[in-house]
Amino acid sequence: MAAAFPSTMTSSCLLPCGSLLESLVHISNEVASMEKLPCVQVRNISAMIRRTKILYSLFEEIQDTNGSIPPSSILCLTELFRVIRRVKALIQECKDGSCVWGLIQTQFVSNQFYVLVKEMGRALDILPLSLLDLSADTREQVELLHKQVKRVDSYVDPRELQRREVLLQIMASEKKSKSKGFIDFGIVKEILSCIGLRNPFDYEEEILKLELEAKKQAGTGGLIVVSNINNLISLISFSKSEIFNDKQSERTKEDCMQQSAFINRNHDYSSSSQSSVVPNIPDEFRCPITLDLMRDPVIIASGHTYDRHSIARWINSGHYTCPKSGQKLLHMALIPNYALKSLIHQWCQDNNVSLNEDKASSFSDSESRNSKGKQSENAVDHISATKAVADAVKMTAEFLVGKLATGSVEIQRRAAYELRLLAKTGMDNRRMIAEAGAIPFLVTLLCSHDPRIQENAVTAMLNLSLYQNNKILIMAAGAIDNIVDVLQSGKTTESRENAAAAIFSLSMIDECKVTIGARPRAIPALVGLLRDGSSAGKRDAATALFNLAVYNANKISVVVTGAVPVLIDLLMDDKAGITDDALAVLALLLGCSQGLEEIRKSRVLVPLLTDLLRFGSYKGKENSITLLLGLCKDGGEDVARCLLINPRSVPSLRSLAAEGSPKTRRKADALLRLLSRCCSQSHNPVGLLV
């Protein structure tokens, strides 16, 4: 794991109040929404997420009051922001880092969580709860949280400590005996299974993570730490080759059932395939359907590679999905994977393996007889298989980038299409394509007059942008102006939609929100797609506008370009099917005075929102209440009277106040109190308080 986090910084540079609350709500929601948690530090991570959820409710309620914040609370909120940011980084490192190294470092990591809990408690010490306008529930939860974090002790999972000790003993005995024959692989398998390593691909991914950890520790951890990590890599690599000698567990149960049915229907082919299975072929060289050595590897639309003969039979038998992922295939083209084919040929030459079908069975027998003598050599094959695939992707990316740079229009069209497919699956693929220099050439091809080249280029750019580091590279390459051009006047509908999706992806970074919003044509082009695009295009435009409008300066631009009437019209458009997305953007636009004024001009919005309180989705109901609450505040007496007159509004609000989510209940209560005050001030009460 990484070194300990730096101590809490001084708060001399405080964020502006509005930005601070917005940042707190955003980052605490990210922590509270984390999924697929690691199998180590489970209790510490779960407890930290639970605490952050309570703080998220606190920050939201402070933000919803729209009142002034006492100066004495800003220091506390700033410190809480820094603590939660470090909590997010620590949990993310536990998720992304090596599980085995996390187990070895369990005491160190547990102490990091303990330090963060104590810093959270110190920040809450200076929170002036009495000066904040909070509901009784929220105040009670925060006070209870404060008491809990003050008395919490450091927690180290005893089961993790026990597994750590057993693993260290195995490593010590292995080093002492200098022989792998003394290792109880049953115990190793049980320990690794408990921390989430259950199939060969899990082991390979763990090895890669340990290699990255070794590089990270090389400059800071010292030779002993790096040596320990290398010993772990050796142990896991050899355990993989022993535990999964003949097992292929990378397929899910559903994949197994589908492929078993497929092979049973083609018995003759199944028999020949099974007879040619070679246990010691690297997993990445096997066809996922037959588990045999691939002789003519091809890439299909999902981005996965299969043997041509196997996948052709799969498709010809009426299957139009990827056997491995279950994803529907957009086309049936089989693209040769020349780089992987070259590596397979090289491996076959090094191991005296014939690629002829009729010799596969005799090779299997030969390998079976000689497996014991070549066990250590085969273990190396398994270790290097993942690296071989990475090298294949790298070679393919470099080859395709060369075609983008120097090829004819037809070759560029094909190369852009293959890069689009290659970037569709796997963060490593996206990273290596960018490292091969594809981004600047794709930026240039966005201006192509060929519709297919433009479509493939913008879609490849979208796929590449899903990798976090690539977002910065794409922006640095000056891509945004060209992407906006495609969005505004793309030659195909898919090009325009994917340009909007690319803007959404890029705008996940705060700096990009500012840069994109500053482009005078970006937001108007998104509003244009929102108005005139297909259902998918409208959804892409709405989500991109939502991301951009998180930045306050962009809210005004969205309003000025006429987005509000379009969004309100979409609430009535059942065919578009983006009611929740439109509501979310409208709720954001309430945050600026221009947005509030524009929204209040609509005569149909309040009845629509009242209906959505009854028939909308959970998120739709929540955003509907947010909009109604904002419209009723600060001179919104007319809206309040409309709600009081409507016989369905108050019962709907009462129902949500009793049965909605915590956030929905809180907002429904606030709106009912506001309507109650309006009712009591009126000379014609309608029985709201009955």
Side-chain angles (χ1 to χ4, degrees):
M1 304 294 289
F5 288 102
S7 59
T8 304
M9 299 165 57
T10 60
S11 44
S12 57
C13 299
L14 300 178
L15 292 169
C17 182
S19 301
L20 174 59
L21 279 173
E22 194 170 315
S23 300
L24 280 166
V25 170
H26 178 69
I27 196 167
S28 58
N29 183 47
E30 286 186 334
V31 174
S33 304
M34 281 186 165
E35 298 178 346
K36 297 182 180 178
L37 299 178
C39 297
V40 292
Q41 296 294 331
V42 175
R43 178 167 163 177
N44 282 326
I45 292 175
S46 300
M48 194 62 84
I49 290 177
R50 186 173 62 252
R51 297 177 186 116
T52 306
K53 285 181 179 178
I54 296 174
L55 293 176
Y56 171 65
S57 299
L58 168 68
F59 303 145
E60 269 203 327
E61 188 161 336
I62 295 174
Q63 189 180 45
D64 289 343
T65 60
N66 290 328
S68 59
I69 299 178
S72 56
S73 67
I74 296 179
L75 175 61
C76 167
L77 295 178
T78 305
E79 294 302 323
L80 284 174
F81 174 75
R82 290 171 178 153
V83 171
I84 296 172
R85 184 170 57 185
R86 291 161 62 200
V87 166
K88 177 188 172 185
L90 181 55
I91 295 176
Q92 196 64 48
E93 188 169 2
C94 290
K95 285 179 62 177
D96 298 340
S98 162
C99 295
V100 176
W101 186 240
L103 183 65
I104 298 297
Q105 296 283 88
T106 185
Q107 290 176 302
F108 175 74
V109 179
S110 297
N111 185 63
Q112 286 185 300
F113 279 106
Y114 175 71
V115 169
L116 289 174
V117 172
K118 287 303 178 184
E119 289 187 7
M120 184 181 291
R122 286 194 289 271
L124 291 173
D125 284 341
I126 56 174
L127 178 65
L129 277 176
S130 59
L131 301 179
L132 297 173
D133 183 16
L134 302 174
S135 66
D137 286 346
T138 302
R139 189 184 304 276
E140 183 179 350
Q141 287 182 349
V142 175
E143 288 174 346
L144 182 61
L145 171 64
H146 186 200
K147 292 176 183 177
Q148 289 175 343
V149 298
K150 292 296 288 183
R151 64 171 182 260
V152 73
D153 292 323
S154 176
Y155 175 79
V156 183
D157 192 331
R159 293 170 300 179
E160 291 185 8
L161 279 177
Q162 183 180 6
R163 293 167 191 152
R164 173 182 179 272
E165 291 306 315
V166 173
L167 200 58
L168 290 175
Q169 289 175 10
I170 290 173
M171 291 172 61
S173 63
E174 173 193 354
K175 185 176 180 181
K176 185 176 180 180
S177 64
K178 298 182 180 180
S179 171
K180 303 292 192 298
F182 293 92
I183 298 176
D184 188 339
F185 289 104
I187 295 177
V188 175
K189 180 181 179 181
E190 182 180 352
I191 292 174
L192 297 183
S193 177
C194 288
I195 59 174
L197 307 183
R198 299 183 176 91
N199 59 55
F201 282 149
D202 289 341
Y203 279 58
E204 290 164 5
E205 188 176 0
E206 182 65 16
I207 291 168
L208 289 176
K209 290 178 179 178
L210 284 169
E211 289 173 348
L212 289 174
E213 188 64 36
K215 292 178 182 177
K216 188 192 304 182
Q217 295 285 350
T220 57
L223 293 176
I224 295 177
V225 174
V226 175
S227 175
N228 288 335
I229 296 174
N230 288 332
N231 288 339
L232 284 171
I233 293 173
S234 174
L235 174 63
I236 295 173
S237 301
F238 193 76
S239 298
K240 173 181 173 290
S241 63
E242 288 293 317
I243 295 170
F244 301 101
N245 188 30
D246 294 320
K247 296 177 182 178
Q248 301 299 325
S249 58
E250 79 273 10
R251 295 178 297 168
T252 63
K253 183 178 180 180
E254 182 180 353
D255 295 329
C256 291
M257 291 174 64
Q258 288 181 349
Q259 293 173 24
S260 175
F262 167 66
I263 293 175
N264 288 337
R265 289 195 298 269
N266 299 273
H267 179 74
D268 295 338
Y269 174 64
S270 175
S271 300
S272 63
S273 298
Q274 290 172 1
S275 66
S276 61
V277 170
V278 182
N280 295 303
I281 297 173
D283 294 335
E284 288 75 11
F285 293 168
R286 295 180 185 269
C287 174
I289 294 177
T290 64
L291 306 182
D292 194 9
L293 181 68
M294 287 187 282
R295 289 160 174 79
D296 188 5
V298 293
I299 304 171
I300 62 172
S302 66
H304 292 103
T305 297
Y306 298 89
D307 186 74
R308 181 185 294 276
H309 184 63
S310 305
I311 194 62
R313 290 179 67 91
W314 172 266
I315 293 172
N316 291 337
S317 64
H319 297 84
Y320 302 108
T321 57
C322 172
K324 195 169 184 180
S325 68
Q327 180 182 345
K328 185 176 180 180
L329 301 179
L330 298 178
H331 60 81
M332 301 302 141
L334 304 180
I335 303 168
N337 192 335
Y338 294 115
L340 183 57
K341 187 173 184 178
S342 175
L343 288 170
I344 292 174
H345 276 243
Q346 184 62 48
W347 181 86
C348 290
Q349 290 177 7
D350 294 343
N351 292 273
N352 297 320
V353 177
S354 172
L355 280 174
N356 295 332
E357 289 280 352
D358 55 352
K359 296 182 181 179
S361 180
S362 61
F363 167 70
S364 177
D365 296 338
S366 174
E367 279 293 312
S368 179
R369 288 193 300 270
N370 297 323
S371 60
K372 292 184 179 180
K374 296 184 177 180
Q375 194 171 53
S376 60
E377 180 181 344
N378 290 325
V380 175
D381 288 337
H382 279 281
I383 297 168
S384 62
T386 301
K387 184 177 182 302
V389 172
D391 289 342
V393 173
K394 184 177 180 181
M395 290 170 58
T396 302
E398 290 172 350
F399 171 79
L400 294 173
V401 170
K403 296 301 180 184
L404 286 183
T406 61
S408 63
V409 171
E410 178 61 34
I411 290 176
Q412 285 181 331
R413 184 187 302 121
R414 191 66 182 175
Y417 176 73
E418 293 193 19
L419 280 173
R420 167 184 176 175
L421 291 182
L422 194 60
K424 193 172 184 178
T425 56
M427 290 299 180
D428 285 338
N429 288 9
R430 294 166 188 144
R431 173 181 57 79
M432 286 185 279
I433 291 171
E435 289 174 353
I439 290 174
F441 294 108
L442 290 171
V443 171
T444 302
L445 292 179
L446 292 174
C447 302
S448 173
H449 296 293
D450 184 284
R452 291 302 159 201
I453 289 180
Q454 185 186 73
E455 181 182 309
N456 291 332
V458 74
T459 309
M461 196 71 76
L462 165 62
N463 293 339
L464 290 174
S465 72
L466 300 178
Y467 180 62
Q468 189 75 2
N469 290 351
N470 285 351
K471 298 183 197 293
I472 304 299
L473 297 177
I474 290 170
M475 296 297 291
I480 192 60
D481 287 324
N482 289 359
I483 293 175
V484 171
D485 286 338
V486 176
L487 172 64
Q488 196 168 35
S489 55
K491 300 184 183 303
T492 67
T493 301
E494 187 175 353
S495 295
R496 295 182 65 203
E497 293 171 354
N498 288 341
I503 289 177
F504 166 74
S505 177
L506 293 170
S507 62
M508 298 295 288
I509 297 180
D510 291 339
E511 293 82 353
C512 296
K513 290 181 177 69
V514 179
T515 304
I516 296 170
R519 296 297 195 276
R521 295 179 298 120
I523 291 176
L526 286 170
V527 174
L529 184 62
L530 188 69
R531 181 188 301 109
D532 305 322
S534 64
S535 295
K538 288 177 179 179
R539 179 173 286 104
D540 290 331
T543 53
L545 285 171
F546 178 87
N547 246 14
L548 293 174
V550 170
Y551 179 60
N552 284 327
N554 290 338
K555 289 183 174 73
I556 300 173
S557 300
V558 174
V559 174
V560 170
T561 53
V564 171
V566 179
L567 290 165
I568 293 174
D569 288 342
L570 287 171
L571 297 180
M572 300 179 285
D573 187 352
D574 293 334
K575 291 182 180 179
I578 61 166
T579 300
D580 287 351
D581 299 301
L583 282 171
V585 180
L586 286 170
L588 263 184
L589 296 181
L590 275 178
C592 69
S593 57
Q594 295 90 336
L596 179 59
E597 181 180 352
E598 192 68 26
I599 292 171
R600 276 182 173 161
K601 290 179 182 178
S602 173
R603 295 185 177 182
V604 300
L605 181 60
V606 174
L608 279 173
L609 295 176
T610 304
D611 288 339
L612 287 169
L613 290 179
R614 302 170 63 204
F615 305 115
S617 66
Y618 288 114
K619 196 65 180 175
K621 291 176 181 178
E622 181 182 311
N623 283 323
S624 297
I625 295 177
T626 301
L627 282 162
L628 289 171
L629 190 59
L631 290 170
C632 288
K633 288 181 178 178
D634 301 327
E637 292 82 3
D638 291 340
V639 176
R641 280 192 288 271
C642 287
L643 288 174
L644 289 171
I645 292 171
N646 191 322
R648 295 187 296 270
S649 60
V650 173
S652 297
L653 287 170
R654 284 176 176 165
S655 175
L656 291 171
E659 301 174 359
S661 66
K663 184 176 179 181
T664 302
R665 291 200 302 268
R666 188 170 64 249
K667 291 187 176 182
D669 283 334
L671 184 52
L672 284 170
R673 288 196 300 269
L674 192 151
L675 293 177
S676 178
R677 287 197 298 270
C678 179
C679 180
S680 63
Q681 294 168 4
S682 171
H683 297 291
N684 185 27
V686 294
L688 178 66
L689 299 177
V690 176

